């Protein structure tokens, strides 16, 4: 058992931390100017190492690349929703690597693939997807029709991994297709107006008689597809942790002005109400951080318990809600004005418990595992 | 690097205490709760497993070993865990700060077959929120020193108890070793308590108890007191994790067979989601406990981590006990079922500061 980061770990996290602090300069701009999609790489990133790239081939003592990826995203999220450098891979890329054929993986090796599941009528329940794909025998093409919403990296990605229904006999089956930008009949909608994370590229995709080659069908085992989310969920928890950390760092910074401090040595309720609250919130933060680290450690050491990813996500989402609500109970009304990061963080934080699998979905998965129930038995 | 692996010794310890708890404690915990007493021979058997002896002698990772064992013991019976942890705190204080003479006596107690009833006593009954509020004091006498005051204590009813009592004198605060058999030591509040009833919470009063120089624990008492508080927080987190774990494990089979409105309780989302949350909280409690124990063993940031671990466990173990009790409906409220015992134990554990250690 060890809770010490290695020197390599520290360097990576320090670089991510520094980049996050720089990226924060742009935070207010991209929050106020919603239609502006941030650059893939800001000028300040030039010449700086890319932590996400540095962790690919580590040959020094380290807590691990998977562990570090989560810590990097935590730092970036602490800075702002816009990162100094956008990641070169999206969730769609992870899915392709997991379930694509060698030919498919090679074909779409060097581009960003956004994942496109959600529709106006299908969010937490992917089985309600109504985007259809019909096979045209004459041209060996699939024809896609449907609409996707809330797609992350919608504008910036070079392709989308689209979940659609196909007919097999008299039943519908859910499957996936890679659709490249520029394909006729594939349109990206204008940026979605959101309460927060406005710097994030979110929009809908519309498919109208969109024809794609047969090879674009990623005929995947759905269990394998969804198991990819087991690896991404703790990283999404990291977003909640990062925003919470930003908020907590801010309120801890208020103590000199309040002429008090969070005295951890004191008995419960021995300090001011604000001290007591901050200690409670710091405890919630540590609990959520450890939950995520444990999930990543299991992944690192090939002992994955599938519920751990869901536990991480549920914790991270809940944490972001609690910390953002309760910090704004006492941090001063000046924080309410546009231009103050706290009011932006309050709005940013709320998405974490919703996207990439809402907290309720996570609890459903955890409960089914603990109670030994199938999806039919526990809905 | 950050890793969560228990080593072989820790795994073996966990296994040994898990077996002891399920074989010797789980089935009797309620009986002892009602009787207000854990039998002496059970404590002797627990003592015989060697946790306190090993943890106080350990070069490193004694705290981690303790929390692993305490969680398992508490899963069987919180009161037994509390008694053993109190003893652990006393022997750790002596191992780290005691004089050679004091350690001689400690060694003979550790080597004995009988459970050594011992505890570090800092806090007093009232509303005091800091060490400055402590009223117990030691004054000089022609023959030595006299101790006056009172402390919240544990397990005095059985046989002689060994206490390390924190008291102020003209030169600040110190720990003094006091045996309960000494003249002037009186035990009160033995009528029972809300929870940890098997542990015999009580108040010990000191009325001109005669002490001499060799009874004073040397060194920096402020640092010792803080370390004792850290240890008590970590031990409490471990015990709460064990109790919360027992609650969850007991609740799952019940809700899977209890039919309400045409289906099992467990198939209702509100119940299933609470079970998921129980699991999340309990797992997090354990990780917090491990981390703060590691910090204790490695002298890194222990004050903050122990406090956070305690804050988290106290709040969320109460939630687990409360929600589980509700799932059992009227049975949860009836003494025939263990939910009310656990509910009371968890609340009691959360309010106590000090006493236990690792």
């Amino acid at each position: 058992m060890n809770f010490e980061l290695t020197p390599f770990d520290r360097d990576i996290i320090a670089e991510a931390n520094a980049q996050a602090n720089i990226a924060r300069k742009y935070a207010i701009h991209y929050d106020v100017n919603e239609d502006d999609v941030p650059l893939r790489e800001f000028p300040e990133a030039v010449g700086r190492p890319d932590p996400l790239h540095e962790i690919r081939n580590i040959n020094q003592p380290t807590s691990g690349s998977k562990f570090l990826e989560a810590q990097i995203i935590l730092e970036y999220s602490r800075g702002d929703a816009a990162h100094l450098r956008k990641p070169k891979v999206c969730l769609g890329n992870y899915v392709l690597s997991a379930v694509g054929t060698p030919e498919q993986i090679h074909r779409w090796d060097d581009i960003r693939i956004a994942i496109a599941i959600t529709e106006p009528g299908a969010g937490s329940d992917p089985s309600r997807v109504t985007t259809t794909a019909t096979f045209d025998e004459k041209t060996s093409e699939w024809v896609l029709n449907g609409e996707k919403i809330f797609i992350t990296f919608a504008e910036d990605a070079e392709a989308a991994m689209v979940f659609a229904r196909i007919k097999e006999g008299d039943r519908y089956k859910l499957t996936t297709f890679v659709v490249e930008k520029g394909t006729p009949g594939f349109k990206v909608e204008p940026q979605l107006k959101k309460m927060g994370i406005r710097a994030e590229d979110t929009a809908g995709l519309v498919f109208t008689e969109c024809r794609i080659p047969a090879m674009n069908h990623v005929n995947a085992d759905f269990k394998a597809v969804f198991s990819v989310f087991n690896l991404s969920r703790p990283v999404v928890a990291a977003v909640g942790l990062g925003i919470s950390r930003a908020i907590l760092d801010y309120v801890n910074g208020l103590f000199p002005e309040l002429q008090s401090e969070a005295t951890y040595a004191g008995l419960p309720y021995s300090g001011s109400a604000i001290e007591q609250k901050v200690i409670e919130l710091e405890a919630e933060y540590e609990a959520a951080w450890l939950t995520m680290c444990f999930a990543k450690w299991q992944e690192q050491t090939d002992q994955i318990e599938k519920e751990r990813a869901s536990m991480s996500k549920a914790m991270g989402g809940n944490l972001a809600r609690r910390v953002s609500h309760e910090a704004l109970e006492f941090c001063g009304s000046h924080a309410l004005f546009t231009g103050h990061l706290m009011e932006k963080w309050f709005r940013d934080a709320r998405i974490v418990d919703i996207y990439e699998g809402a907290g309720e979905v996570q609890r459903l998965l955890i409960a089914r595992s603990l109670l030994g129930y199938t999806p039919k038995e526990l809905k | 690097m950050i890793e969560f692996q228990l080593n072989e010794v820790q795994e073996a310890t966990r296994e040994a205490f898990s077996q002891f708890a399920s074989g010797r404690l789980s089935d009797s915990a309620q009986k002892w709760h009602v009787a207000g007493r854990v039998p002496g021979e059970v404590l002797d058997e627990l003592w015989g497993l060697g946790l306190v002896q090993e943890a106080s002698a350990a070069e490193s990772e004694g705290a981690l070993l303790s929390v692993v064992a305490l969680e398992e013991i508490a899963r069987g019976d919180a009161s037994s865990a509390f008694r053993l942890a109190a003893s652990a705190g006393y022997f750790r204080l002596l191992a780290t700060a005691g004089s050679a003479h004091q350690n001689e006596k400690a060694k003979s107690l550790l080597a004995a077959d009988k459970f050594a009833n011992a505890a570090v006593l800092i806090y007093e009954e009232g509303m005091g929120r800091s060490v400055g509020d402590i009223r117990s004091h030691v004054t000089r006498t022609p023959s030595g020193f006299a101790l006056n005051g009172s402390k919240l204590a544990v397990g005095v009813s059985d046989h002689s108890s060994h206490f390390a009592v924190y008291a102020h004198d003209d030169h600040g605060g110190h720990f003094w070793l006091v045996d309960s058999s000494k003249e002037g030591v009186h035990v009160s509040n033995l009528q029972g308590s809300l929870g940890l009833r098997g542990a015999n919470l009580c108040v010990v009063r000191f009325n001109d108890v005669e002490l001499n120089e060799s009874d004073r624990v040397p060194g920096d008492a402020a640092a010792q007191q803080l370390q004792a508080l850290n240890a008590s927080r970590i031990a409490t987190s471990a015990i709460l994790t064990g109790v919360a774990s027992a609650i969850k494990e007991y609740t799952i089979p019940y809700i899977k067979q209890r039919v309400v409105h045409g289906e099992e309780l467990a198939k209702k989302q509100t119940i299933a989601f609470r079970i998921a949350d129980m699991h999340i909280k309990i797992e997090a409690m354990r990780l917090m406990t491990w981390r703060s124990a590691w910090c204790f063993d490695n002298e890194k940031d222990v004050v903050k981590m122990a406090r956070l671990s305690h804050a988290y466990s106290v709040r969320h173990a109460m939630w687990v006990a409360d929600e589980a009790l509700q799932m059992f409906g009227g049975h949860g409220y009836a003494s025939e079922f263990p939910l009310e015992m656990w509910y009371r134990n968890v609340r009691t554990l959360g309010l106590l500061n000090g006493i236990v250690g690792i």
Side-chain angles (χ1 to χ4, degrees), chain A residues 1-6 9 61-64 67 245 263-270 276 278-280 282-284 286-291 293-295 297 301 303 305 307-308 310-311 314-315 322 359-364 366-367 370-373 377-379, chain B residues 1-7 10 61 64 123 128-130 226 229 233 248 252 255-257 263-269 271-273 275-277 279-281 283-288 290-292 294-295 300 303-305 307-312 315-316 350 353:
Chain A
M1 178 110 29
N2 198 312
F3 293 94
E4 195 114 60
L5 294 166
T6 68
D9 295 343
T62 176
S63 301
F67 175 89
R245 190 68 255 154
T263 338
Y264 292 99
L267 291 189
Y269 299 95
S270 59
Q276 177 69 17
V278 169
I279 288 173
E280 272 175 39
E282 289 286 359
E284 296 295 327
E286 284 305 323
W289 186 78
L290 286 167
T291 303
C293 290
F294 191 79
W297 171 75
T301 53
Q303 354 173 24
E305 287 170 318
E307 312 80 56
R308 299 281 171 179
S310 288
M311 288 160 68
M315 276 287 233
R322 254 204 88 172
E360 286 79 2
V361 172
Q362 308 306 336
R363 285 169 178 81
L364 208 52
I366 296 164
L370 289 171
L371 299 166
Y373 284 145
E377 289 173 304
L378 182 64
K379 303 190 196 80
Chain B
M1 63 186 73
I2 297 196
E3 53 183 8
F4 295 85
Q5 195 65 49
L6 290 178
N7 65 29
Q10 289 155 357
E61 305 208 310
L64 210 37
Y123 300 101
R129 304 314 302 160
S130 78
L226 183 56
L229 180 59
R233 285 174 164 158
K248 188 196 81 182
I252 288 175
I255 58 173
K256 286 195 71 172
Q257 57 80 47
E263 71 180 353
E264 296 85 336
L265 266 188
K267 288 181 180 162
K268 299 177 195 301
Q269 255 196 17
I271 300 292
F273 280 12
I275 294 291
D277 276 326
H279 183 71
I280 293 171
K281 289 166 195 283
E283 294 298 304
M285 249 179 252
R286 180 177 304 113
L287 296 178
M288 297 281 275
W290 282 357
R291 184 173 187 200
S292 54
W294 180 88
C295 287
K300 289 190 197 297
V303 177
K304 180 176 176 182
M305 285 305 149
R307 177 78 172 90
L308 295 186
S309 181
H310 183 263
Y312 190 84
R315 176 64 54 105
H316 293 287
N353 296 295

Side-chain angles (χ1 to χ4, degrees), chain A residues 83-217:
Chain A
H83 305 165
L84 219 56
R85 262 195 208 96
K86 280 195 183 166
K88 293 195 179 70
V89 289
C90 314
L91 205 46
N93 296 86
Y94 287 116
V95 171
L96 188 68
S97 318
V99 299
T101 64
E103 195 193 347
Q104 288 169 331
I105 292 170
H106 177 77
R107 168 124 175 78
W108 294 297
D109 182 44
D110 214 13
I111 58 163
R112 290 174 170 85
I113 310 173
I115 198 143
I117 308 174
T118 305
E119 298 178 358
S124 290
D125 182 3
S127 76
R128 293 188 64 79
V129 153
T130 55
T131 297
T132 53
T134 338
F135 194 62
D136 184 341
E137 299 279 353
K138 286 189 236 112
T139 60
S140 254
E141 287 172 321
W142 289 93
V143 187
L144 258 61
N145 281 285
E147 184 192 350
K148 297 293 181 188
I149 58 168
F150 303 161
I151 304 306
T152 308
F153 299 117
E155 191 171 310
D156 196 55
E158 282 100 347
M161 175 81 73
V162 181
F163 281 54
R165 294 193 311 182
I166 60 174
K167 212 140 186 234
E168 253 183 16
D170 57 350
R171 299 178 77 225
Y172 280 104
K173 179 185 128 158
L174 214 51
T175 187
T176 354
F177 298 89
V178 175
V179 188
E180 293 176 39
K181 290 283 181 71
T183 307
F186 175 12
K187 191 170 68 124
V188 179
E189 299 280 84
Q191 287 287 299
L192 177 73
K193 300 265 177 274
K194 310 187 288 287
M195 173 166 76
I197 56 159
R198 289 179 178 160
E200 215 170 275
D201 170 8
T202 322
L205 310 175
V206 181
F207 303 94
T208 319
E209 294 296 308
C210 178
R211 291 177 163 268
I212 54 175
M215 102 158 265
N216 289 37
H217 181 201

Side-chain angles (χ1 to χ4, degrees), chain A residues 330-342:
Chain A
F330 63 82
C331 72
S333 53
H334 58 283
L336 296 174
F337 289 92
T338 302
H340 198 292
L341 288 167
M342 274 294 268

Side-chain angles (χ1 to χ4, degrees), chain B residues 39-61:
Chain B
E41 58 268 24
V42 175
L43 292 174
D44 290 341
E45 283 174 52
L46 191 52
W47 180 254
L49 289 176
L51 176 72
V52 175
Q53 297 85 327
E54 195 153 332
S56 65
E59 290 292 300
S60 64
E61 305 208 310

Side-chain angles (χ1 to χ4, degrees), chain B residues 167-181:
Chain B
H168 292 301
D169 57 44
D170 290 335
H171 307 284
H174 288 97
F175 282 102
W176 296 84
L177 301 187
V178 184
D179 273 8
S180 65
S181 53

